[in-house]
Amino acid sequence: MNYPSLFSPLQIGPYQLKHRLALAPLTRMRAEKPSLAPRPLNAEYYAQRATPGGLLIAEASPVMATGFGSPGVPGIYTEQQIAGWREVVDAVHAKGGVIFLQLWHVGRVSHSSFQPGGVLPVAPSAVAIADLKTGTADGKAVPYETPRALETSEIPEVVDAYRQAAKNALTAGFDGVEIHGANGYLIEQFLQSHTNLRTDQYGGSIENRTRFLMEVTEAVAEVWGASRVGLRLSPYGIANGSGEPDPMPLYSHVVQSLNPLGLAYLHFIEPRSSGAGRAEVNHQNVPSAMVLFRPIWKGVLITAGGFTGETANAAIAAGHADAIAFGRIFISNPDLPRRLQRGFPLTPYNRATFYGGDVAGYTDYPAHDELAQA
């Protein structure tokens, strides 16, 4: 067997996993329109990637109608969306897999054309994403708008939306949820000093900037129990205009604040991956999130970003991480665990079919056929 560390069992919360190779949460923009509910095609996609005792983290799903910034992404706030996700979950459970749902609000990474009533997107502060363009709902490339700063009185409503989305995910039959606190979206906008210019209890000090994340995490944990809640962070990420000048003080505080909660896991995006579906970033002189934060974090640690079977196995063997989430090569290799374990060749991915569309580049990547190979 190849990669014995990667293919050893792992306990995550109440779940005994049979291996440590997870599907990373991947935006694919293939939900039903206009309901933005998952459809049978999505259930097929996840079922293809499910293995007995393997963890899948389903794609980021907005917790409320203001949380969207892309077309065709599934939500988790209507009955129709819950029903669509239930079909996905049932298909994964039929294969013996474990599936968590990632809860999302994009904040300023949106455009008024996606917002109910065509209003401006919301954010911690009225700071636009500079030097990047976004797509409108009808596909035009335009500069980002300056978002509207949330009133202090509105913040509990957003926390409540996460709480309700957590309940909806429970109704849909998921095994747990992951809170998206990475990649320049709403939670990270509250965390980082250049996007959070607030002067109330949610801004200023590191402790105040962490408050929104902690309130969301505690609300979701009330629904699920902390042992079935994960959180994703990208301390050195550069996605969607994110980036803290000195990430260590902020993220050390975040990790230490989370420790007492007893979460299922913490999930890092390594700095060598942009986290925004774009090409690899420059590998030179970038730190390793798992190495930096492993000494601080007391629980299960998952990390993601450009791993191969070789590097994933090494990271686990060295004790830097407990599991590795794979994205792009899991897209093009639905049977990725089997291929790595048995040394079968990998199918290259086609970046042009990552987002939107239908079957092509989604469910039409074949599993490895040993007979044909022979």
Side-chain angles (χ1 to χ4, degrees):
M1 179 180 78
N2 290 307
Y3 313 128
S5 297
L6 187 59
F7 290 98
S8 62
L10 173 67
Q11 188 79 23
I12 286 188
Y15 305 110
Q16 178 71 31
L17 302 183
K18 292 188 176 173
H19 60 80
R20 297 166 182 244
L21 194 163
L23 173 68
L26 298 164
T27 294
R28 306 300 310 276
M29 299 183 189
R30 283 168 168 88
E32 199 74 79
K33 294 172 189 170
S35 67
L36 300 174
R39 54 192 174 123
L41 182 70
N42 306 130
E44 181 187 352
Y45 166 81
Y46 283 106
Q48 285 177 341
R49 286 155 185 79
T51 53
L55 174 64
L56 307 182
I57 307 168
E59 64 209 272
S61 299
V63 299
M64 59 198 302
T66 60
F68 284 86
S70 311
V73 297
I76 185 62
Y77 57 87
T78 71
E79 290 298 328
Q80 207 171 344
Q81 291 162 1
I82 295 167
W85 276 122
R86 190 176 294 114
E87 289 186 24
V88 172
V89 171
D90 288 348
V92 169
H93 285 166
K95 299 275 291 283
V98 175
I99 183 165
F100 280 42
L101 180 67
Q102 195 184 56
L103 305 179
W104 197 25
H105 192 304
V106 303
R108 70 178 187 156
V109 190
S110 184
H111 184 266
S112 53
S113 59
F114 290 104
Q115 296 295 315
V119 299
L120 287 170
V122 296
S125 302
V127 180
I129 298 175
D131 307 324
L132 287 176
K133 293 208 162 180
T134 186
T136 62
D138 58 2
K140 296 191 179 76
V142 296
Y144 277 97
E145 298 160 314
T146 300
R148 177 180 72 79
L150 284 161
E151 300 290 340
T152 306
S153 61
E154 292 177 292
I155 293 176
E157 297 167 26
V158 182
V159 175
D160 275 340
Y162 277 93
R163 183 184 285 108
Q164 184 59 51
K167 290 177 182 173
N168 295 346
L170 195 57
T171 302
F174 281 97
D175 299 302
V177 290
E178 176 178 290
I179 297 162
H180 198 340
N183 291 354
Y185 298 117
L186 184 65
I187 289 174
E188 194 170 81
Q189 292 159 31
F190 270 93
L191 289 175
Q192 296 191 342
S193 55
H194 74 294
T195 44
N196 185 342
L197 311 178
R198 302 180 71 90
T199 55
D200 62 3
Q201 68 266 38
Y202 293 96
S205 67
I206 284 176
E207 188 174 2
N208 280 0
R209 285 185 274 132
T210 305
R211 190 182 307 275
F212 178 66
L213 165 64
M214 295 305 295
E215 287 182 357
V216 166
T217 306
E218 285 161 4
V220 171
E222 279 169 26
V223 174
W224 275 94
S227 70
R228 295 195 287 170
V229 176
L231 172 68
R232 197 174 212 206
L233 297 171
S234 52
Y236 287 82
I238 53 163
N240 301 310
S242 69
E244 182 69 3
D246 180 6
M248 275 311 285
L250 169 62
Y251 286 94
S252 297
H253 175 82
V254 168
V255 172
Q256 283 162 339
S257 301
L258 292 166
N259 265 325
L261 299 184
L263 297 180
Y265 61 81
L266 199 53
H267 182 181
F268 285 116
I269 300 170
E270 290 295 334
R272 61 169 170 259
S273 189
S274 74
R278 301 188 178 95
E280 297 274 329
V281 295
N282 186 346
H283 284 216
Q284 301 304 312
N285 305 318
V286 292
S288 164
M290 60 180 177
V291 173
L292 286 173
F293 293 99
R294 184 76 207 219
I296 307 173
W297 176 241
K298 304 292 185 233
V300 170
L301 192 151
I302 302 175
T303 196
F307 282 90
T308 62
E310 223 51 81
T311 58
N313 193 73
I316 293 165
H320 295 318
D322 297 299
I324 306 295
F326 287 82
R328 289 162 295 192
I329 62 169
F330 219 149
I331 288 174
S332 56
N333 297 274
D335 55 340
L336 181 66
R338 189 173 66 111
R339 292 204 197 200
L340 290 180
Q341 193 171 23
R342 300 194 188 174
F344 297 151
L346 297 182
T347 302
Y349 54 82
N350 176 11
R351 193 179 291 279
T353 56
F354 279 0
Y355 302 113
D358 207 69
V359 172
Y362 191 59
T363 53
D364 64 345
Y365 284 109
H368 179 75
D369 187 335
E370 292 162 71
L371 291 174
Q373 191 74 15

